Amino acid sequence: MSKNKTHDLVIIGAGPGGYRAAFMAADLGLNVTLIDPELNPGGVCLYRGCIPTKALLHLAKIKTDAEHAGDLGIKFSTPQIDIEKVIDWKNKVVKQLTGGLGQLVKARKINYIRGRAKFINSNTVELSGDNNGEKITFKNAIIATGAIPVRIPNINIDSEHVIDSTKALDLKEIPKKMLIIGAGYIGLEMATIYQALGSEVSVVELTKDFMPGMDTDLVAEYKKANKDLFKDVLLETIVEGIKEQGKQLEVSFKDKDDKSFKKKYDKVLVAIGQKPNSDNLGLENTNIEQDEKGFIKVNKKQQTSNENIFAIGDIAGQPLLAHKASYEGIVAVEVIAGKKAALNDAKVIPSVVYTEPEIASCGLSEKEAKEKNIDYKIVKFPWAASGRAVAMNEKNGFTKLLIDKENERLLGAGIVGRNAGDMISELVLAIEMAATAEDIARTIHPHPTLAETIMESAEMFYGHAAHV
């Protein structure tokens, strides 16, 4: 690498946003330098987030299915969990996918630097790591450093028994009693994993319900399906303190009635949210502006206050989703390459919670539709009326559509049930293409499938769904 060369594009962070931007830029003929601390691209998502979590959720689902098979006449003996093999499986998944990305970097002739980068000014970064102290000048840069877990305010405890989502995926042992602080999607996915592996799981949440901000219908269906998942559910409760007592942790709580109480656990998982990973980036040496929470301010082209520096993914604000980061990476690169692109080209960003059952949503919620004074109609098809769902012994679930009464266009959707995350893409496309309820209802869906519930939900708008 020439020290005097001005690089077309430097990308800091090789997660789903960073590596997707690098691949796109290389395909468009730009000279690309991609900087990340890991051996290969992948970021938090592949190394310590989405992918290892989903690998473990898959194992949890297998165990749960085996336990429920007794209802269908097939009985298995109690599963024996080999935690070392479970860890090996998870690590192999990560290694295979990140190694594959490493090969794609080489194939595209991307200059991959293992290390970290700090801005010296708006056109120069200084490296640490393999190229410690070296400086790179650039025409354009993309910041894609993601987010990191938030610690509990006013509680500072250094204990191996207090873990975050990253350490929770190491699975060095399965605790007998586990407390999860935070009932968002990360906390609930971890609850699914650890409960399946044998832990007695409790959850504490500051707000009134699980998954704050989620459609209450979807949350209610999740709770109905998981009434036996948790030992304790402590809502509207704060954690006042955590103390080590031998090999256990004593946690002090205060509920909404100001009542204080204590409970003991073997492990405490803190999953109260994420904050932008912007420390030690040298942003103060640029003109880049951040909001009150530390997220970098960007326009619809992903440009920061420095027009030649872009920010994508979690560090650029909500929603903190890998696929949103990937899309923003494409937008940023197309702008850099002189193409017309902007984030508002995408009408909706889907969201999936990989619990059991899965929860997926896209578009407007009922609350948002009310705030916009839209005259809408809700149609909801229960999976108890789906032949495929019944045949699969799926006892919970529904497909919900939010439709504009005036023009009959689909505005939003939510699905609770098996494979909801795979099914939601049809509804994302429907919103992107301004499809009406009739378009969906008249699209022939194969029978018997779970996807039929989308068609029958649309038919309900006109009052003639076959199975309701």
Side-chain angles (χ1 to χ4, degrees), residues 437-458:
E438 185 176 14
D439 292 329
I440 300 170
R442 292 293 178 264
T443 298
I444 299 175
H445 288 65
H447 175 77
T449 61
L450 297 175
E452 277 182 301
T453 64
I454 295 173
M455 177 187 71
E456 296 216 51
S457 296

PDB file of all heavy atoms in Angstrom, residues 437-458:
ATOM      1  N   ALA A 437     -55.049  -4.208  -1.286  1.00  0.00           N
ATOM      2  CA  ALA A 437     -55.541  -5.453  -0.696  1.00  0.00           C
ATOM      3  C   ALA A 437     -56.003  -6.408  -1.791  1.00  0.00           C
ATOM      4  O   ALA A 437     -55.802  -7.626  -1.695  1.00  0.00           O
ATOM      5  CB  ALA A 437     -56.686  -5.147   0.264  1.00  0.00           C
ATOM      6  N   GLU A 438     -56.598  -5.866  -2.856  1.00  0.00           N
ATOM      7  CA  GLU A 438     -57.059  -6.712  -3.955  1.00  0.00           C
ATOM      8  C   GLU A 438     -55.883  -7.365  -4.670  1.00  0.00           C
ATOM      9  O   GLU A 438     -55.961  -8.535  -5.070  1.00  0.00           O
ATOM     10  CB  GLU A 438     -57.892  -5.907  -4.946  1.00  0.00           C
ATOM     11  CG  GLU A 438     -58.492  -6.771  -6.059  1.00  0.00           C
ATOM     12  CD  GLU A 438     -59.399  -5.993  -6.990  1.00  0.00           C
ATOM     13  OE1 GLU A 438     -59.376  -4.743  -6.953  1.00  0.00           O
ATOM     14  OE2 GLU A 438     -60.130  -6.636  -7.765  1.00  0.00           O
ATOM     15  N   ASP A 439     -54.784  -6.625  -4.852  1.00  0.00           N
ATOM     16  CA  ASP A 439     -53.590  -7.205  -5.482  1.00  0.00           C
ATOM     17  C   ASP A 439     -53.122  -8.436  -4.717  1.00  0.00           C
ATOM     18  O   ASP A 439     -52.770  -9.466  -5.303  1.00  0.00           O
ATOM     19  CB  ASP A 439     -52.456  -6.178  -5.525  1.00  0.00           C
ATOM     20  CG  ASP A 439     -52.733  -5.018  -6.468  1.00  0.00           C
ATOM     21  OD1 ASP A 439     -53.434  -5.240  -7.479  1.00  0.00           O
ATOM     22  OD2 ASP A 439     -52.255  -3.908  -6.189  1.00  0.00           O
ATOM     23  N   ILE A 440     -53.103  -8.321  -3.395  1.00  0.00           N
ATOM     24  CA  ILE A 440     -52.634  -9.433  -2.560  1.00  0.00           C
ATOM     25  C   ILE A 440     -53.646 -10.573  -2.568  1.00  0.00           C
ATOM     26  O   ILE A 440     -53.293 -11.743  -2.691  1.00  0.00           O
ATOM     27  CB  ILE A 440     -52.368  -8.947  -1.124  1.00  0.00           C
ATOM     28  CG1 ILE A 440     -51.298  -7.853  -1.135  1.00  0.00           C
ATOM     29  CG2 ILE A 440     -51.942 -10.106  -0.229  1.00  0.00           C
ATOM     30  CD1 ILE A 440     -51.132  -7.134   0.190  1.00  0.00           C
ATOM     31  N   ALA A 441     -54.931 -10.210  -2.436  1.00  0.00           N
ATOM     32  CA  ALA A 441     -55.989 -11.230  -2.389  1.00  0.00           C
ATOM     33  C   ALA A 441     -56.088 -12.009  -3.694  1.00  0.00           C
ATOM     34  O   ALA A 441     -56.449 -13.188  -3.694  1.00  0.00           O
ATOM     35  CB  ALA A 441     -57.328 -10.561  -2.074  1.00  0.00           C
ATOM     36  N   ARG A 442     -55.755 -11.368  -4.815  1.00  0.00           N
ATOM     37  CA  ARG A 442     -55.877 -12.017  -6.119  1.00  0.00           C
ATOM     38  C   ARG A 442     -54.570 -12.643  -6.592  1.00  0.00           C
ATOM     39  O   ARG A 442     -54.487 -13.167  -7.691  1.00  0.00           O
ATOM     40  CB  ARG A 442     -56.370 -10.995  -7.160  1.00  0.00           C
ATOM     41  CG  ARG A 442     -57.805 -10.533  -6.932  1.00  0.00           C
ATOM     42  CD  ARG A 442     -58.813 -11.657  -7.164  1.00  0.00           C
ATOM     43  NE  ARG A 442     -60.185 -11.213  -6.906  1.00  0.00           N
ATOM     44  CZ  ARG A 442     -60.810 -11.393  -5.758  1.00  0.00           C
ATOM     45  NH1 ARG A 442     -60.187 -12.016  -4.757  1.00  0.00           N
ATOM     46  NH2 ARG A 442     -62.051 -10.967  -5.581  1.00  0.00           N
ATOM     47  N   THR A 443     -53.545 -12.574  -5.764  1.00  0.00           N
ATOM     48  CA  THR A 443     -52.291 -13.262  -6.072  1.00  0.00           C
ATOM     49  C   THR A 443     -52.417 -14.701  -5.589  1.00  0.00           C
ATOM     50  O   THR A 443     -52.662 -14.940  -4.405  1.00  0.00           O
ATOM     51  CB  THR A 443     -51.095 -12.580  -5.374  1.00  0.00           C
ATOM     52  OG1 THR A 443     -50.978 -11.241  -5.868  1.00  0.00           O
ATOM     53  CG2 THR A 443     -49.804 -13.330  -5.656  1.00  0.00           C
ATOM     54  N   ILE A 444     -52.276 -15.655  -6.493  1.00  0.00           N
ATOM     55  CA  ILE A 444     -52.463 -17.064  -6.127  1.00  0.00           C
ATOM     56  C   ILE A 444     -51.299 -17.535  -5.265  1.00  0.00           C
ATOM     57  O   ILE A 444     -50.137 -17.452  -5.671  1.00  0.00           O
ATOM     58  CB  ILE A 444     -52.582 -17.939  -7.383  1.00  0.00           C
ATOM     59  CG1 ILE A 444     -53.806 -17.513  -8.211  1.00  0.00           C
ATOM     60  CG2 ILE A 444     -52.684 -19.418  -7.003  1.00  0.00           C
ATOM     61  CD1 ILE A 444     -53.934 -18.232  -9.536  1.00  0.00           C
ATOM     62  N   HIS A 445     -51.626 -18.006  -4.080  1.00  0.00           N
ATOM     63  CA  HIS A 445     -50.638 -18.549  -3.155  1.00  0.00           C
ATOM     64  C   HIS A 445     -50.764 -20.079  -3.132  1.00  0.00           C
ATOM     65  O   HIS A 445     -51.884 -20.600  -3.161  1.00  0.00           O
ATOM     66  CB  HIS A 445     -50.863 -18.002  -1.740  1.00  0.00           C
ATOM     67  CG  HIS A 445     -50.478 -16.566  -1.584  1.00  0.00           C
ATOM     68  ND1 HIS A 445     -51.110 -15.539  -2.243  1.00  0.00           N
ATOM     69  CD2 HIS A 445     -49.500 -15.977  -0.815  1.00  0.00           C
ATOM     70  CE1 HIS A 445     -50.562 -14.389  -1.903  1.00  0.00           C
ATOM     71  NE2 HIS A 445     -49.580 -14.627  -1.033  1.00  0.00           N
ATOM     72  N   PRO A 446     -49.648 -20.785  -3.075  1.00  0.00           N
ATOM     73  CA  PRO A 446     -49.714 -22.250  -3.051  1.00  0.00           C
ATOM     74  C   PRO A 446     -50.394 -22.756  -1.778  1.00  0.00           C
ATOM     75  O   PRO A 446     -50.276 -22.143  -0.717  1.00  0.00           O
ATOM     76  CB  PRO A 446     -48.255 -22.687  -3.122  1.00  0.00           C
ATOM     77  CG  PRO A 446     -47.479 -21.513  -2.619  1.00  0.00           C
ATOM     78  CD  PRO A 446     -48.257 -20.308  -3.032  1.00  0.00           C
ATOM     79  N   HIS A 447     -51.082 -23.877  -1.916  1.00  0.00           N
ATOM     80  CA  HIS A 447     -51.796 -24.485  -0.793  1.00  0.00           C
ATOM     81  C   HIS A 447     -51.250 -25.889  -0.547  1.00  0.00           C
ATOM     82  O   HIS A 447     -50.990 -26.630  -1.492  1.00  0.00           O
ATOM     83  CB  HIS A 447     -53.285 -24.588  -1.119  1.00  0.00           C
ATOM     84  CG  HIS A 447     -54.087 -25.315  -0.074  1.00  0.00           C
ATOM     85  ND1 HIS A 447     -54.450 -24.738   1.109  1.00  0.00           N
ATOM     86  CD2 HIS A 447     -54.577 -26.588  -0.054  1.00  0.00           C
ATOM     87  CE1 HIS A 447     -55.146 -25.615   1.827  1.00  0.00           C
ATOM     88  NE2 HIS A 447     -55.224 -26.745   1.138  1.00  0.00           N
ATOM     89  N   PRO A 448     -51.063 -26.293   0.690  1.00  0.00           N
ATOM     90  CA  PRO A 448     -51.246 -25.518   1.927  1.00  0.00           C
ATOM     91  C   PRO A 448     -49.923 -24.892   2.367  1.00  0.00           C
ATOM     92  O   PRO A 448     -48.913 -25.574   2.485  1.00  0.00           O
ATOM     93  CB  PRO A 448     -51.711 -26.584   2.916  1.00  0.00           C
ATOM     94  CG  PRO A 448     -50.989 -27.831   2.470  1.00  0.00           C
ATOM     95  CD  PRO A 448     -50.842 -27.722   0.973  1.00  0.00           C
ATOM     96  N   THR A 449     -49.923 -23.615   2.629  1.00  0.00           N
ATOM     97  CA  THR A 449     -48.734 -22.913   3.110  1.00  0.00           C
ATOM     98  C   THR A 449     -49.131 -21.882   4.170  1.00  0.00           C
ATOM     99  O   THR A 449     -50.276 -21.458   4.235  1.00  0.00           O
ATOM    100  CB  THR A 449     -48.024 -22.161   1.968  1.00  0.00           C
ATOM    101  OG1 THR A 449     -48.917 -21.192   1.411  1.00  0.00           O
ATOM    102  CG2 THR A 449     -47.546 -23.110   0.877  1.00  0.00           C
ATOM    103  N   LEU A 450     -48.144 -21.473   4.940  1.00  0.00           N
ATOM    104  CA  LEU A 450     -48.363 -20.388   5.883  1.00  0.00           C
ATOM    105  C   LEU A 450     -48.561 -19.067   5.153  1.00  0.00           C
ATOM    106  O   LEU A 450     -49.264 -18.171   5.626  1.00  0.00           O
ATOM    107  CB  LEU A 450     -47.175 -20.280   6.852  1.00  0.00           C
ATOM    108  CG  LEU A 450     -46.932 -21.491   7.767  1.00  0.00           C
ATOM    109  CD1 LEU A 450     -45.657 -21.301   8.567  1.00  0.00           C
ATOM    110  CD2 LEU A 450     -48.123 -21.719   8.692  1.00  0.00           C
ATOM    111  N   ALA A 451     -47.939 -18.950   3.975  1.00  0.00           N
ATOM    112  CA  ALA A 451     -48.071 -17.719   3.187  1.00  0.00           C
ATOM    113  C   ALA A 451     -49.504 -17.469   2.747  1.00  0.00           C
ATOM    114  O   ALA A 451     -49.882 -16.322   2.464  1.00  0.00           O
ATOM    115  CB  ALA A 451     -47.153 -17.779   1.968  1.00  0.00           C
ATOM    116  N   GLU A 452     -50.319 -18.512   2.696  1.00  0.00           N
ATOM    117  CA  GLU A 452     -51.738 -18.328   2.365  1.00  0.00           C
ATOM    118  C   GLU A 452     -52.429 -17.386   3.344  1.00  0.00           C
ATOM    119  O   GLU A 452     -53.419 -16.736   2.997  1.00  0.00           O
ATOM    120  CB  GLU A 452     -52.473 -19.678   2.412  1.00  0.00           C
ATOM    121  CG  GLU A 452     -52.356 -20.519   1.175  1.00  0.00           C
ATOM    122  CD  GLU A 452     -53.167 -21.792   1.337  1.00  0.00           C
ATOM    123  OE1 GLU A 452     -52.885 -22.553   2.286  1.00  0.00           O
ATOM    124  OE2 GLU A 452     -54.089 -22.006   0.537  1.00  0.00           O
ATOM    125  N   THR A 453     -51.902 -17.316   4.565  1.00  0.00           N
ATOM    126  CA  THR A 453     -52.537 -16.454   5.562  1.00  0.00           C
ATOM    127  C   THR A 453     -52.446 -14.983   5.146  1.00  0.00           C
ATOM    128  O   THR A 453     -53.266 -14.169   5.574  1.00  0.00           O
ATOM    129  CB  THR A 453     -51.907 -16.645   6.954  1.00  0.00           C
ATOM    130  OG1 THR A 453     -50.533 -16.224   6.928  1.00  0.00           O
ATOM    131  CG2 THR A 453     -51.968 -18.097   7.390  1.00  0.00           C
ATOM    132  N   ILE A 454     -51.448 -14.656   4.338  1.00  0.00           N
ATOM    133  CA  ILE A 454     -51.330 -13.283   3.813  1.00  0.00           C
ATOM    134  C   ILE A 454     -52.469 -13.018   2.836  1.00  0.00           C
ATOM    135  O   ILE A 454     -53.149 -11.982   2.901  1.00  0.00           O
ATOM    136  CB  ILE A 454     -49.961 -13.085   3.133  1.00  0.00           C
ATOM    137  CG1 ILE A 454     -48.840 -13.195   4.164  1.00  0.00           C
ATOM    138  CG2 ILE A 454     -49.917 -11.739   2.404  1.00  0.00           C
ATOM    139  CD1 ILE A 454     -47.442 -13.172   3.577  1.00  0.00           C
ATOM    140  N   MET A 455     -52.695 -13.959   1.932  1.00  0.00           N
ATOM    141  CA  MET A 455     -53.777 -13.827   0.955  1.00  0.00           C
ATOM    142  C   MET A 455     -55.137 -13.756   1.651  1.00  0.00           C
ATOM    143  O   MET A 455     -55.967 -12.893   1.329  1.00  0.00           O
ATOM    144  CB  MET A 455     -53.756 -15.029   0.000  1.00  0.00           C
ATOM    145  CG  MET A 455     -54.878 -15.063  -1.029  1.00  0.00           C
ATOM    146  SD  MET A 455     -54.888 -16.606  -1.976  1.00  0.00           S
ATOM    147  CE  MET A 455     -55.436 -17.784  -0.725  1.00  0.00           C
ATOM    148  N   GLU A 456     -55.340 -14.624   2.632  1.00  0.00           N
ATOM    149  CA  GLU A 456     -56.650 -14.662   3.296  1.00  0.00           C
ATOM    150  C   GLU A 456     -56.866 -13.435   4.184  1.00  0.00           C
ATOM    151  O   GLU A 456     -58.000 -12.992   4.363  1.00  0.00           O
ATOM    152  CB  GLU A 456     -56.793 -15.963   4.091  1.00  0.00           C
ATOM    153  CG  GLU A 456     -56.790 -17.200   3.187  1.00  0.00           C
ATOM    154  CD  GLU A 456     -57.726 -18.282   3.680  1.00  0.00           C
ATOM    155  OE1 GLU A 456     -58.906 -17.987   3.949  1.00  0.00           O
ATOM    156  OE2 GLU A 456     -57.252 -19.429   3.803  1.00  0.00           O
ATOM    157  N   SER A 457     -55.786 -12.881   4.715  1.00  0.00           N
ATOM    158  CA  SER A 457     -55.916 -11.624   5.457  1.00  0.00           C
ATOM    159  C   SER A 457     -56.425 -10.521   4.540  1.00  0.00           C
ATOM    160  O   SER A 457     -57.324  -9.745   4.906  1.00  0.00           O
ATOM    161  CB  SER A 457     -54.566 -11.207   6.052  1.00  0.00           C
ATOM    162  OG  SER A 457     -54.113 -12.142   7.012  1.00  0.00           O
ATOM    163  N   ALA A 458     -55.856 -10.464   3.332  1.00  0.00           N
ATOM    164  CA  ALA A 458     -56.301  -9.460   2.357  1.00  0.00           C
ATOM    165  C   ALA A 458     -57.747  -9.704   1.944  1.00  0.00           C
ATOM    166  O   ALA A 458     -58.527  -8.762   1.764  1.00  0.00           O
ATOM    167  CB  ALA A 458     -55.385  -9.475   1.142  1.00  0.00           C
TER     168      ALA A 458
END
